[in-house]
């Protein structure tokens, strides 16, 4: 029997829609729902054991975040991810994430405290050491999201949500970056933020993003040609 919205507490409808969003996006990232896959509400409800109303709501957010696209008479399908999409992502990251890193460091310099960033960095380093690639991907994504949250700019956080969604698609498909090198880069970036050094944090964020461009694009091009799928961040 499908779960109903009133099975939860607080705002049950939104809670179930968020749950549906996570389940569907996870299946897109894992390849269970590949590019071009049709997302029919009734079938999703049966597959995920969730009622159709939160499924419908989650599809709107999935489209906004770049996971799916809706066509007239065809309905919702998993969006294809292209090399051109990835190039645009890196271009926008060089602006928005660099700004976020600068503002995060300013937040710390003004006396702000960010224990969650330190926790995520430690957990990511641990996952890297034990070569848990899936955990590294999830934790690194969360680390970037935390830096954005630390900026204190709600408009930036809103603007970055679809960017982060598309980034998850990119890194679920392919990337040839060395996880240990990324861990080292994250450590340097976080250290600059902890030290309250905005310009250093911005410079390190820029370098981190730019260093990831070429291997990520190369890995994606190979994945789209061969159908190979890997996960990193």
């Amino acid at each position: 029997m499908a779960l109903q919205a009133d099975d939860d507490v607080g705002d049950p409808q939104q809670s179930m829609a968020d749950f549906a969003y996570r389940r569907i996006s996870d299946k897109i990232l894992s390849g269970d729902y590949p590019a071009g896959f049709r997302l029919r509400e009734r079938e999703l409800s049966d597959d995920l054991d969730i009622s159709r109303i939160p499924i419908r709501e989650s599809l709107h957010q999935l489209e906004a975040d770049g996971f799916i696209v809706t066509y007239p008479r065809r309905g919702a399908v998993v969006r294809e991810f292209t090399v051109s999409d990835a190039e645009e992502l890196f271009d926008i990251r060089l602006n928005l994430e660099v700004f976020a890193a600068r503002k995060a460091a300013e937040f710390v310099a003004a006396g702000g405290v960010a224990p969650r960033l330190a926790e995520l960095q430690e957990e990511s380093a641990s996952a890297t050491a034990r070569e848990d690639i899936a955990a590294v991907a999830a934790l690194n994504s969360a680390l970037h999201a935390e830096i954005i949250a630390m900026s204190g700019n709600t408009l930036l956080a809103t603007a970055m949500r679809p960017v982060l969604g598309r980034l998850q698609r990119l890194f679920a498909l392919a990337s040839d970056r060395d996880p240990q090198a990324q861990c080292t880069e994250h450590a340097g970036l976080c250290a600059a933020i902890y030290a309250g050094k905005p310009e250093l944090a911005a410079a390190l964020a820029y370098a981190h993003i730019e260093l990831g461009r070429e291997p990520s694009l190369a890995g994606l091009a190979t994945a789209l040609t061969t159908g190979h799928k890997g996960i990193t961040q």
Side-chain angles (χ1 to χ4, degrees), residues 28-31 81-83 86-87 89-90 93 133 137 166-178 182 212-233:
I28 292 172
L29 293 171
S30 70
F81 195 88
T82 68
V83 172
E87 290 173 341
L89 278 177
F90 279 97
R93 290 182 71 197
I133 301 303
R166 286 165 171 81
L167 276 173
Q168 291 181 64
R169 289 291 308 281
L170 169 62
F171 293 117
L173 284 167
S175 177
D176 291 346
R177 294 212 68 194
D178 176 10
Q182 292 183 91
R213 183 192 295 263
E214 184 175 347
S216 295
L217 294 178
L220 178 61
T222 299
L224 294 176
T225 300
T226 65
H228 172 73
K229 183 166 68 68
I231 300 177
T232 187
Q233 185 76 357

Side-chain angles (χ1 to χ4, degrees), residues 107-155:
F107 166 77
V108 174
V113 179
R116 182 59 181 152
L117 182 63
E119 292 170 4
L120 289 168
Q121 183 194 355
E122 183 178 345
E123 291 171 11
S124 177
S126 177
T128 300
R130 64 177 185 271
E131 299 183 348
D132 186 342
I133 301 303
V136 169
L139 289 164
N140 286 352
S141 180
L143 186 146
H144 283 275
E146 181 63 19
I147 292 172
I148 292 164
M150 286 173 61
S151 75
N153 189 310
T154 55
L155 184 58

Side-chain angles (χ1 to χ4, degrees), residues 35-135:
F37 183 84
R38 292 186 66 182
L39 298 170
R40 299 178 177 88
E41 289 180 18
R42 184 181 297 279
E43 293 174 1
L44 289 171
S45 178
D46 292 340
D47 188 20
L48 304 179
D49 198 29
I50 304 171
S51 62
R52 294 178 65 177
I53 293 175
I55 291 285
R56 186 177 304 123
E57 292 184 1
S58 72
L59 292 177
H60 293 306
Q61 189 61 55
L62 286 161
E63 183 165 24
D65 290 353
F67 286 99
I68 69 173
V69 62
T70 301
Y71 296 106
R73 296 182 297 278
R74 190 181 179 193
V77 301
V78 176
R79 185 180 183 275
E80 181 182 5
F81 195 88
T82 68
V83 172
S84 178
D85 291 329
E87 290 173 341
E88 291 179 358
L89 278 177
F90 279 97
D91 289 342
I92 201 69
R93 290 182 71 197
L94 287 177
N95 291 280
L96 297 183
E97 288 196 53
V98 170
F99 174 76
R102 180 182 291 111
K103 298 301 290 184
E106 289 177 359
F107 166 77
V108 174
V113 179
R116 182 59 181 152
L117 182 63
E119 292 170 4
L120 289 168
Q121 183 194 355
E122 183 178 345
E123 291 171 11
S124 177
S126 177
T128 300
R130 64 177 185 271
E131 299 183 348
D132 186 342
I133 301 303

